[in-house]
Amino acid sequence: HGLTVAHHVPGTLPPLTPEAELVIYRVAQESLTNTARHAAADRADLTLRPVPGGIELLVRDNGAGLGEAPEGAGIRGMRERALLIGAEIHLAPAPGRGTAVRLRVPVPAGEPHVPSTHLSGSVTADPATDPATDRAAAPATDRSADRPGDRT
């Protein structure tokens, strides 16, 4: 069985630097990878939306939650990436059950909203066959993040 991911992205978002775009992408990727590998979840929701002063990425799943497991390299990598662009990241239990990862990326004041090229919808990914669920997260300055590897 696979993981069903619903994503919600509005048509307009403030402009971002390439570095901020990469951090959002990698945090979303690592959050979904952790959901697929560790959470025993069958559903995740990914939301990217404008908030006062920036953009928020929220990834929630209906899995087992964080529990008492020590923080692994993947979560540490998300925290390091957030620091590189002055963003805040919080991991917490999701309402009901599961985990919520919230990344808030600052956008300079006065930036106009521009149309987004992203669409809303759903996609089903099977971590056993989807190569995107096997990419390693690493600090943005480490280009090895684009190679498969192990993570937690």
Side-chain angles (χ1 to χ4, degrees):
H1 75 85
L3 172 67
T4 299
V5 178
H7 59 282
H8 315 280
V9 181
T12 59
L13 292 169
L16 295 166
T17 65
E19 295 82 7
E21 288 180 357
L22 181 62
V23 169
I24 291 169
Y25 173 79
R26 293 294 187 194
V27 168
Q29 180 183 38
E30 181 63 25
S31 298
L32 293 173
T33 296
N34 284 344
T35 296
R37 288 191 178 171
H38 306 296
D42 62 4
R43 178 162 178 81
D45 292 296
L46 182 147
T47 303
L48 186 63
R49 65 188 182 110
V51 293
I55 293 176
E56 179 181 78
L57 169 71
L58 176 61
V59 181
R60 290 184 184 167
D61 66 56
N62 67 348
L66 294 169
E68 298 299 320
E71 199 169 274
I75 294 175
R76 283 193 306 273
M78 288 193 291
R79 291 188 190 286
E80 290 171 6
R81 287 176 181 280
L83 284 173
L84 288 173
I85 61 165
E88 296 178 10
I89 189 164
H90 302 280
L91 289 83
R97 66 175 260 180
T99 301
V101 177
R102 184 180 309 269
L103 176 73
R104 286 202 170 212
V105 178
V107 173
E111 292 289 342
H113 286 191
V114 295
S116 170
T117 58
H118 305 285
L119 302 174
S120 295
S122 295
V123 65
T124 300
D126 183 345
T129 60
D130 186 354
T133 62
D134 196 31
R135 296 206 178 116
T141 56
D142 180 0
R143 299 313 302 167
S144 67
D146 296 326
R147 295 191 307 259
D150 60 4
R151 61 145 115 284
T152 313

